[in-house]
Amino acid sequence: MTQAAQIIREAAGDEPVRLGLVLGSGLGALAEEVEDAAVFAFSELPGFPASGVSGHAGALSVGRLRGVRAALLSGRAHYYERGDPAAMRTPIETLRALGAEAVLLTNSAGSTRADMPPGSLMIIRDHINFSGLNPLIGEEGDARFVNMVDAYDPELRARLHEAGAGLFEGVYAWFSGPSFETPAEIEAIRVLGADAVGMSTVPETILARRFGLRVAAVSVITNFAAGMTGQALSHDETKTEAARAQTRFRALVRHFVESFA
Ligand code: HPA
């Protein structure tokens, strides 16, 4: 049990949550739909990161979403903020301590595929840890040797497909950021098998598997990756395009959450 989980249980009650959600850049508005919410700023919870990226609120809401007891993290910490690949360790461990059996990780990402334009939603089937970093480096004991076959739970992926129409499925590659990728890096990672690129999620997936949580993950495609259109990339574009995809994204997440009822 983390100290944070104790604080949350004291305020929000002992009823276990079924599901944890991590809402990425520009996707945090879903937290408004939580009923009977107990809301905690990350700064109130020991071990939670201070997130300083615009588009990331840094709050945890515990309550009912579509009738399912859930804990939503609006905002996350990224490796590039402080150079700590384990920045999300306490939040992920806390979701488990609150009773979650699964976590839905969401992010904004760039597409390496010409047939997957901005506005697309991509279910993550697998990842490539292109950063070479790992949140479990330094941990002792055998629990650190986490199996990563089917890290993105096949049964949860099937449920995501049922929850939304016209969804892509593909491989997400983690780049450390915060600079965007070069066109050469995108060309390289496409050859290596990546369909989408981004600066988050992979360390959380590793941590979630470490703590025994099943993982489902969705990327909101906000742009074609570097070099694909001749246009420059920007965080403003990420936020604007994520906001435009909100309606479909929210509908997908709602239906997925309902499958836990
Ligand atoms: N690269 C990395 N991270 C991103 C991108 C991208 O093109 N789009 C949104 N997040």
Side-chain angles (χ1 to χ4, degrees), residues 203-243:
E204 293 153 31
T205 299
I206 295 168
L207 288 163
R209 295 307 298 142
R210 159 69 182 78
F211 290 111
L213 288 156
R214 298 168 71 195
V215 175
V218 174
S219 290
V220 175
I221 300 300
T222 54
N223 57 283
F224 282 118
M228 291 176 66
T229 64
Q231 270 169 20
L233 273 60
S234 73
H235 187 56
D236 273 345
E237 178 184 47
T238 301
K239 288 187 287 186
T240 312
E241 290 297 323

Side-chain angles (χ1 to χ4, degrees), residues 17 71 100 112-114 121 142-143 159 161 175-176 180 246:
V17 309
T112 69
R113 283 169 50 173
L121 302 179
D142 286 355
R159 280 205 237 171
H161 276 294
F175 282 78
S176 78
F180 285 107
Q246 277 279 345

